[in-house]
Amino acid sequence: MTRPSGSVRCSRSTEDAMNYAFLFAAIVSEVVATSALKASEGLTRVWPSVIVVVGYGLAFYCLSLTMRTIPIGIAYAIWSGVGIVLIALAGWLIYRQPLDLPALAGMALILAGVLVINVFSTTAGH
């Protein structure tokens, strides 16, 4: 099906997949930017600081694209929840920051919440 402008219209499932791809890109960009923020030493090192600015800019741009169809609360809950877990993992892997059992349990609960939203919520945009 084509629109009058000649552009091809995407199916609903393709559009949903693209919005979740933008959400994934937003999450990854934010995790990269936050990891670089630590390495920037208070934004005093040039290249890590550049990564911070570009990463956060890309993260918010992709998040804004996601919010065209996914409700803001759902998109932000997924973005922040998955981002928290990934940045904790990055801190553990890159900066050797320990994670104790309560931290791991809390992150498991965050992931469980994201899973509940995606599997059971009718407002999740899919």
Side-chain angles (χ1 to χ4, degrees):
M1 172 188 267
T2 60
R3 295 180 185 174
S5 66
S7 64
V8 177
R9 182 182 173 103
C10 296
S11 70
R12 182 70 178 148
S13 62
T14 302
E15 187 177 350
D16 288 344
M18 284 301 298
N19 285 314
Y20 278 93
F22 286 132
L23 183 55
F24 178 75
I27 293 166
V28 170
S29 298
E30 186 267 336
V31 169
V32 168
T34 302
S35 298
L37 188 59
K38 171 137 176 74
S40 76
E41 297 177 11
L43 299 176
T44 60
R45 296 181 57 218
V46 174
W47 291 113
S49 299
V50 169
I51 294 170
V52 168
V53 172
V54 171
Y56 282 132
L58 183 60
F60 284 108
Y61 174 71
C62 290
L63 186 61
S64 74
L65 295 177
T66 299
M67 290 180 187
R68 292 183 299 187
T69 58
I70 298 174
I72 189 171
I74 300 300
Y76 194 79
I78 294 169
W79 181 64
S80 60
V82 174
I84 287 167
V85 172
L86 290 179
I87 198 61
L89 182 62
W92 179 68
L93 290 172
I94 298 167
Y95 298 109
R96 304 291 180 218
Q97 297 173 338
L99 295 170
D100 60 10
L101 189 58
L104 293 171
M107 287 185 278
L109 290 171
I110 290 169
L111 288 179
V114 170
L115 185 64
V116 166
I117 288 170
N118 281 293
V119 174
F120 299 108
S121 175
T122 59
T123 62
H126 51 77

